[in-house]
Amino acid sequence: MAPSNAGAIPGVAMPVGQLPGMPQAMPNVMPGAFPFPGSQFGAFPTVPMQAMTQQATRHARRIYVGGLPPLANEQTIAAFFSQVMAAIGGNTAGPGDAVVNVYINHEKKFAFVEMRSVEEASNAMALNGIMFEGMPVRVRRPTDYNPTLAATLGPSQPSPHLNLAAVGLTPGCSSGADGPDKLFVGGVPYYLTETQIKELLESFGPLRGFDLVKDWETGNSKGYAFCVYQDPAVTDVVCAALNGLKMGDKTLTVRRASAGSEPKADHPDVFQQAQQQIAIQKLALQAAGAGAMGFGGLMPGYTMGQAGAVTEVPTKVVSLNQLVSVDDLRDDQEYADIYDDIKEECSKFGTVTKLVIPRPEGGSEVAGLGKAFVEYSDIEGARKAKASLHQRKFAGNSVIAAYYPEDKFQRGELDG
């Protein structure tokens, strides 16, 4: 190797094409034979910072779209949502398509749509109920969405300035049913109309948002809905009052849509208010002649006495509502730990003959999700458990304990 100033040294000739200070080519070796661009360290792959950022934000940039029409594919979904986002003014990452990727499950008719930015994904949440190829589709957050982490990445709610009217949506009518006070209402009789369901819910207070989920093929109710009340304080009263309410051959399941969400504050009189509300609702529905349509029941374990009084009927089965987070039930090890903890605690009050904790199954709704059903060998054990566990904190949740019909439990009907 000649010194860097070799070109200036008399008598030292530089090879043709060789620059001063650069190493000479190896004899008999063609340039480019070694894939080391620039330096010896060029051979080691590096992960671009942009790719790392995309991976970290993906959970907050994806949306779940359910109820897809049969002919939908990745291309039509990407084009549709990109056009709609532009139409409502939801594109905040600049010109171009808002959708960067689509994964579709044709068998179950849902897709995960990945947006360019966290803010655009939040804006897309306002599109719940939009008509796509003649069918209303559901827009939700995916199950891996982490609200706490997402709050550090960008806005978690749609912009209030979106022009939803441009795509035929009315603010607050469908996607307005989002947030920590969002309620899931399951076990709704299929013959009830959307108006009748809203009337039942509005007997507790005005709604801010309501979304009855319908079958994309027939347009008929699928038996469950989501809603949010204008007054968040009503939420827990509604859960205690309507959850387990018998309606014809169905039993309502009413809980917060995020099963891990606990009430805003502890209200010792919530259950008493709920019982009073049940009596009022019962009399009002009977007076309106609604009993013939299936509105004729009370919460499991209760009967109507004189003057609208609610009388408790003990059973050997206790249902524990708002007990566990749905996400915790997905992992087998966590589920096993939760099962053991609950059984150990419940065994303090009597002999537990059976414990059932429903688990989530894919993206479908599961009856009794977020609850535990405990069967004792005698009523005395159930009575002690109900009295002790009601309003008890478990994993950060305020538990609501109630008796459950033994015949329904034996048949595996956990819809209350």
Side-chain angles (χ1 to χ4, degrees):
M1 176 69 73
S4 60
N5 60 347
I9 300 177
V12 179
M14 293 295 294
V16 178
Q18 180 70 45
L19 297 178
M22 297 297 292
Q24 301 181 36
M26 296 177 63
N28 302 322
V29 178
M30 296 181 64
F34 293 96
F36 302 117
S39 72
Q40 59 178 328
F41 299 106
F44 295 96
T46 58
V47 180
M49 181 60 67
Q50 182 181 7
M52 294 175 63
T53 303
Q54 289 179 343
Q55 181 65 31
T57 62
R58 180 167 285 116
H59 76 99
R61 291 187 294 106
R62 293 196 312 162
I63 62 173
Y64 165 89
V65 181
L68 292 173
L71 300 181
N73 57 48
E74 287 85 349
Q75 292 74 26
T76 58
I77 294 172
F80 174 78
F81 278 93
S82 290
Q83 293 170 3
V84 168
M85 287 291 290
I88 66 175
N91 287 359
T92 57
D97 293 338
V99 178
V100 297
N101 191 27
V102 175
Y103 164 79
I104 185 172
N105 185 317
H106 290 281
E107 181 181 357
K108 295 187 177 180
K109 299 180 179 63
F110 72 84
F112 292 108
V113 180
E114 184 177 344
M115 316 300 285
R116 291 182 300 181
S117 68
V118 174
E119 185 174 2
E120 287 181 341
S122 295
N123 286 340
M125 296 305 296
L127 299 176
N128 182 44
I130 192 170
M131 298 296 293
F132 175 40
E133 296 184 0
M135 299 293 175
V137 294
R138 301 186 301 278
V139 180
R140 304 279 190 267
R141 294 288 191 183
T143 55
D144 64 347
Y145 178 70
N146 187 327
T148 304
L149 180 58
T152 66
L153 302 174
S156 57
Q157 296 296 325
S159 169
H161 306 297
L162 297 178
N163 182 18
L164 297 179
V167 293
L169 293 176
T170 303
C173 287
S174 57
S175 57
D178 275 327
D181 297 308
K182 177 181 178 180
L183 289 179
F184 165 76
V185 183
V188 178
Y190 299 113
Y191 52 77
L192 291 183
T193 66
E194 185 169 339
T195 300
Q196 290 171 330
I197 299 170
K198 288 183 68 175
E199 285 179 352
L200 174 63
L201 296 173
E202 288 175 340
S203 65
F204 294 88
L207 295 171
R208 177 165 62 85
F210 176 80
D211 179 19
L212 175 63
V213 181
K214 301 179 181 179
D215 186 275
W216 63 269
E217 288 182 327
T218 64
N220 296 331
S221 166
K222 295 189 72 172
Y224 64 94
F226 297 90
C227 72
V228 169
Y229 283 88
Q230 292 184 12
D231 181 7
V234 175
T235 305
D236 295 322
V237 176
V238 175
C239 288
L242 293 184
N243 187 60
L245 183 66
K246 188 73 174 178
M247 302 184 73
D249 59 345
K250 296 284 186 178
T251 304
L252 290 185
T253 297
V254 182
R255 57 171 171 77
R256 290 175 182 267
S258 299
S261 298
E262 61 179 291
K264 292 292 184 180
D266 290 332
H267 298 290
D269 59 339
V270 163
F271 205 65
Q272 181 180 356
Q273 294 174 11
Q275 294 177 13
Q276 295 172 350
Q277 186 64 43
I278 292 172
I280 295 172
Q281 186 67 31
K282 167 75 175 182
L283 296 175
L285 292 172
Q286 286 180 337
M293 299 181 60
F295 287 94
L298 291 172
M299 292 179 65
Y302 288 85
T303 59
M304 181 66 68
Q306 295 181 349
V310 179
T311 304
E312 195 172 28
V313 180
T315 68
K316 292 189 293 184
V317 182
V318 177
S319 68
L320 305 174
N321 192 17
Q322 297 181 177
L323 183 64
V324 291
S325 168
V326 175
D327 291 335
D328 293 340
L329 298 174
R330 300 183 189 278
D331 184 82
D332 291 340
Q333 185 58 53
E334 289 191 32
Y335 178 83
D337 292 342
I338 291 173
Y339 187 95
D340 292 340
D341 289 345
I342 294 176
K343 186 170 184 179
E344 179 181 357
E345 183 64 25
C346 291
S347 297
K348 296 177 181 178
F349 310 106
T351 303
V352 175
T353 58
K354 190 175 182 180
L355 170 62
V356 178
I357 307 175
R359 296 185 68 181
E361 299 176 359
S364 60
E365 289 293 338
V366 177
L369 198 59
K371 287 186 176 185
F373 298 84
V374 189
E375 181 184 44
Y376 285 89
S377 60
D378 52 39
I379 291 180
E380 181 62 19
R383 185 191 65 78
K384 292 179 180 179
K386 179 182 176 298
S388 179
L389 297 177
H390 184 60
Q391 296 295 332
R392 172 91 67 87
K393 291 286 186 179
F394 186 88
N397 299 325
S398 183
V399 177
I400 296 178
Y403 292 118
Y404 195 77
E406 296 175 17
D407 57 339
K408 293 189 64 176
F409 181 75
Q410 296 300 332
R411 293 194 301 267
E413 298 177 7
L414 307 178
D415 55 346

